[in-house]
Amino acid sequence: MNIKNYDINKLENLSNEIRKKIIDSVSKNGGHLSSTLGAVELIIGMHYVFDKEKDPFIFDVSHQAYAHKMLSDRWDRFDRLRQIDGISGYTRPSESKYDYFSAGHSSTSISIAVGAAKAIKLKNEDRIPVVMIGDGSITAGMAYEALNELGYRKYPVVIILNDNEMSIGKPTGAISKYLTKMKAGKFYQGMKEKFKGFLDNLPQDFKYAAKKFEEMFAINGIFFEEMGLEYIGPIDGNNLEDVIETLKIAKELKKPVVVHAKTIKGKGYKEAEGYFEHWHGVGPFDINTGESLKKSTLNATKVFSNYLQKKAEKNEKIVGVTAAMPSGTGMKELLERWPERFWDVAIAEQHAVTSMAALAKEGFRPFVAIYSTFLQRGFDQIVHDVCIDKYPVIFAIDRAGIVGQDGETHQGLLDIGYLKIIPNITIFAPRCFKTLEYAIDFAIEYTECASAFRYPRGAFYEVEVEATPFELGKAEILKDSNDIMLIGYGNGVGRAWQVAKKLQAEGIEVGVMDLRFIKPLDKQTLKNLEAKKWFIFSDSAKIGGVAETLQAFSNDNSLHKKIISFEIEDKYIPHGETKDIEKMLKIDIDSLVDRVKAQL
């Protein structure tokens, strides 16, 4: 869609059409809502002022890029948002040439822009990277690492800071608006350059006073300007005329520029307008009432949250942290109840992990509650700051396994592989809600080194065996068999159990074991199973996963077993409804039954 020749009225009508399409699609399919509704005018401004055919459009996290997708060849496909074989909820170069980079994690955009600017300079091309980053994403250290170099190198890059955090003061009144426009104008920018030249020529004795006078120009954005970037704003990011006027000026500066834009979360849908965390990412809902169309059911995150609260009431040494996901990880209630003991450190997984290492050293029992996909970002801190000195930090790994519609960037398949290679960490997994509570009990009492347990998004597969507490390095035989053992780990135990039930109905007897610990393994129990065939069930990647671990154990102990794995093959898993993705991967129960029978 080419909007270069649209007048302001047509652009405003377009913004209304885009919002309607976003609301209609997300209400049916689920997705991100409030942030992307607030960013519509900013994205229209990007497409109006810059050239999507050549300028890299770089969206941080990219959950707010829905309008960009519609303006760049996907209007007619938008109804299939986040559905299997439909378009992604994030930017994907494989989906469109107008998506410069894949994104799904935060705070990568400015680094990408700096790299793109270096390439543009080396190729001597007339292009300019344009970044959209939110006020949440800019809290992470990676963003500042990139800003630090950008301010030094002075590459032309336009950074749109989309500020929709309602706790930040909103500029009001005619004076604020006038000052903002003054800073965006050529007169102000020219005067500032001349003043800097004048300042350089002053005697040393006068420079301090002159510097203070110069700071009066920096009505906002002193931080960015001290880093060597131009700053314009804050502007009204939902006013198209202001956005377009400001972006034109930023483009002409040929410098690194931060355009600070205030936007309203959920703009255009009254139920979502304002700072409501639950409207950030939603499932299908009734447009008229805002009510969810999915029945609320008990899930692993809620069980974790409720039980940790019970334990924290009795044990003041229990503390915890999350990285900008208080509701998603179940930490919101603990943050509200004990703000001096539980913290949201913003999008800063590395800091979250290292800060908890210090609390563990001081005798506290710190829980780090982070999604599997985001814990990847704290890998070095787990290695370097937690495990070398055996600090007993507890990692509660949410969203382990297939997460569905968020797709490649969010599937929680790698945590077993990247954690098990680290010395001084104990790794285990519950199979049901009750054993999740027992996992919390075990982790609190275990102080020899770090520990980590994983649990799925939503509910576990059902296992009709009474739950028992964890014992270090001990597995549990749930159902014995002479020839075949289905070995499950975490939610894989439930898959194995359901497969065993269906096989039994067909006259095929198999056993089921809950491995419980991946590190340390229950060596004796595994040796006792030497004569049986082993089939492995785990919601994790096959490479680095459970079967690979057991195969190494078999080889080391001269068991010489052929172990069959039903873990996830070596590829990134696309977006779609979880049930559809499981069927595609042939890890739904019916497919698993067929696969076991084929091996027999």
Side-chain angles (χ1 to χ4, degrees):
M1 183 182 296
N2 187 355
I3 63 172
K4 295 287 188 183
N5 297 321
Y6 283 21
D7 61 25
I8 193 66
N9 290 328
K10 196 168 182 180
L11 290 172
E12 288 176 347
N13 288 335
L14 176 62
S15 70
N16 293 331
E17 291 175 26
I18 288 173
R19 281 199 172 89
K20 183 177 184 304
K21 199 166 182 70
I22 290 172
I23 294 166
D24 287 345
S25 182
V26 175
S27 71
K28 295 182 179 74
N29 302 332
H32 292 93
L33 187 67
S34 56
S35 296
T36 200
L37 286 176
V40 170
E41 284 82 7
L42 293 176
I43 292 172
I44 289 175
M46 288 170 65
H47 279 258
Y48 187 85
V49 173
F50 298 93
D51 186 349
K52 72 174 184 288
E53 298 294 339
K54 65 174 186 175
D55 294 327
F57 285 6
I58 305 165
F59 294 89
D60 207 281
V61 186
S62 78
H63 63 293
Q64 80 283 50
Y66 290 1
H68 165 73
K69 287 177 177 277
M70 290 188 220
L71 294 175
S72 54
D73 75 10
R74 284 159 284 181
W75 184 282
D76 294 335
R77 292 189 286 156
F78 195 75
D79 293 339
R80 292 285 298 159
L81 177 73
R82 289 161 54 93
Q83 301 300 293
I84 195 166
D85 297 326
I87 65 172
S88 170
Y90 301 95
T91 52
R92 291 286 180 274
S94 59
E95 179 181 291
S96 170
K97 68 178 184 179
Y98 301 112
D99 289 0
Y100 187 71
F101 242 75
S102 289
H105 291 185
S106 85
S107 315
T108 63
S109 59
I110 303 174
S111 294
I112 293 166
V114 172
K118 290 174 179 176
I120 289 167
K121 184 176 177 64
L122 288 169
K123 294 160 77 173
N124 195 28
E125 294 178 340
D126 180 23
R127 302 160 61 206
I128 184 167
V130 187
V131 168
M132 179 180 287
I133 184 169
D135 56 302
S137 293
I138 210 163
T139 62
M142 188 174 177
Y144 294 101
E145 293 171 19
L147 286 170
N148 182 55
E149 185 183 13
L150 182 60
Y152 174 71
R153 305 286 181 190
K154 306 293 185 185
Y155 298 122
V157 174
V158 174
I159 300 168
I160 302 168
L161 174 56
N162 179 17
D163 177 3
N164 57 26
E165 171 59 71
M166 297 303 289
S167 65
I168 297 175
K170 182 178 179 181
T172 57
I175 293 176
S176 174
K177 188 172 183 180
Y178 169 76
L179 291 174
T180 295
K181 283 197 170 184
M182 181 189 78
K183 283 179 66 64
K186 291 181 180 178
F187 173 78
Y188 170 77
Q189 296 294 334
M191 282 293 295
K192 187 163 71 171
E193 288 302 313
K194 289 178 181 178
F195 192 82
K196 284 180 178 177
F198 167 71
L199 184 62
D200 289 339
N201 293 319
L202 280 176
Q204 192 65 36
D205 293 345
F206 289 93
K207 281 189 176 180
Y208 176 78
K211 179 68 175 173
K212 289 299 179 185
F213 181 74
E214 180 200 13
E215 287 175 0
M216 289 194 299
F217 280 91
I219 302 155
N220 297 292
I222 291 173
F223 172 79
F224 294 108
E225 296 197 348
E226 286 296 318
M227 291 190 77
L229 297 94
E230 298 295 327
Y231 171 90
I232 301 173
I235 66 168
D236 182 351
N238 296 124
N239 183 308
L240 266 170
E241 288 186 282
D242 287 355
V243 169
I244 290 170
E245 178 185 349
T246 305
L247 290 181
K248 284 180 176 178
I249 292 165
K251 181 181 180 181
E252 291 171 2
L253 287 174
K254 305 295 183 184
K255 297 177 180 179
V257 185
V258 174
V259 175
H260 181 180
K262 297 283 295 182
T263 59
I264 298 172
K265 272 190 165 185
K267 183 172 175 59
Y269 184 57
K270 188 173 75 171
E271 283 78 2
E273 285 189 3
Y275 185 68
F276 299 109
E277 188 182 347
H278 65 273
W279 282 108
H280 172 75
V282 297
F285 63 92
D286 185 316
I287 293 177
N288 296 319
T289 65
E291 295 293 324
S292 173
L293 296 179
K294 288 189 175 181
K295 293 181 180 179
S296 179
T297 57
L298 192 62
N299 59 63
T301 303
K302 189 64 178 175
V303 171
F304 168 77
S305 176
N306 290 344
Y307 196 69
L308 189 59
Q309 287 181 69
K310 290 180 182 178
K311 302 298 288 187
E313 282 178 352
K314 299 175 182 178
N315 186 346
E316 293 183 354
K317 292 292 186 180
I318 293 174
V319 297
V321 71
T322 188
M325 299 296 289
S327 291
T329 59
M331 295 291 276
K332 182 179 180 182
E333 291 78 12
L334 291 106
L335 287 161
E336 291 172 349
R337 189 168 180 183
W338 296 289
E340 73 285 356
R341 289 166 56 192
F342 294 87
W343 303 275
D344 179 356
V345 297
I347 303 175
E349 291 85 359
Q350 298 99 320
H351 165 55
V353 172
T354 298
S355 64
M356 291 301 103
L359 278 154
K361 180 181 175 69
E362 293 289 340
F364 289 89
R365 305 301 299 119
F367 280 78
V368 178
I370 295 180
Y371 293 2
S372 171
T373 182
F374 297 138
L375 189 60
Q376 294 161 191
R377 309 183 69 158
F379 176 78
D380 179 63
Q381 288 67 35
I382 299 171
V383 173
H384 183 274
D385 302 324
V386 174
C387 289
I388 287 177
D389 291 317
K390 295 187 177 182
Y391 294 128
V393 176
I394 302 160
F395 295 96
I397 306 171
D398 202 331
R399 305 302 200 268
I402 300 296
V403 298
Q405 292 174 313
D406 283 330
E408 295 98 326
T409 56
H410 283 60
Q411 309 288 11
L413 304 176
L414 305 178
D415 55 272
I416 293 172
Y418 68 72
L419 288 176
K420 75 173 188 177
I421 62 174
I422 306 172
N424 300 335
I425 187 168
T426 292
I427 307 169
F428 60 110
R431 67 172 182 255
C432 62
F433 291 144
K434 187 60 183 177
T435 53
L436 176 53
E437 294 180 351
Y438 286 144
I440 294 170
D441 289 336
F442 176 85
I444 291 169
E445 296 301 319
Y446 182 72
T447 58
E448 294 301 310
C449 62
S451 61
F453 59 92
R454 71 190 321 249
Y455 44 96
R457 182 178 193 173
F460 292 87
Y461 278 93
E462 188 176 3
V463 180
E464 294 104 339
V465 176
E466 184 177 353
T468 57
F470 284 87
E471 295 180 50
L472 179 63
K474 293 296 183 182
E476 183 179 3
I477 303 292
L478 306 181
K479 182 177 183 290
D480 209 348
S481 167
N482 292 329
D483 302 316
I484 303 160
M485 186 61 66
L486 310 185
I487 299 176
Y489 182 70
N491 202 29
V493 179
R495 291 189 195 274
W497 185 263
Q498 295 301 321
V499 168
K501 282 178 64 176
K502 289 211 166 194
L503 290 172
Q504 186 174 25
E506 297 182 30
I508 303 171
E509 286 295 329
V510 298
V512 179
M513 185 176 92
D514 181 355
L515 187 63
R516 309 202 105 185
F517 286 83
I518 197 75
K519 190 176 183 179
L521 290 170
D522 187 339
K523 296 179 181 179
Q524 189 56 56
T525 299
L526 289 169
K527 287 178 181 178
N528 293 342
L529 301 177
E530 181 179 3
K532 304 179 193 293
K533 294 178 181 177
W534 295 4
F535 297 95
I536 310 304
F537 297 76
S538 174
D539 292 0
S540 55
K542 182 181 288 187
I543 293 181
V546 176
E548 192 175 275
T549 305
L550 294 181
Q551 190 68 67
F553 168 81
S554 171
N555 296 342
D556 289 345
N557 290 273
S558 301
L559 302 184
H560 306 298
K561 297 193 65 60
K562 180 185 178 183
I563 299 172
I564 306 300
S565 171
F566 299 121
E567 294 166 284
I568 312 300
E569 296 295 339
D570 184 29
K571 60 184 177 181
Y572 285 104
I573 308 305
H575 60 273
E577 293 278 358
T578 299
K579 67 180 188 307
D580 295 332
I581 296 299
E582 290 182 343
K583 188 169 289 188
M584 180 191 77
L585 297 172
K586 297 184 178 180
I587 59 169
D588 62 292
I589 301 304
D590 288 340
S591 296
L592 287 169
V593 169
D594 291 340
R595 292 172 71 186
V596 171
K597 287 163 66 177
Q599 291 292 335
L600 297 179

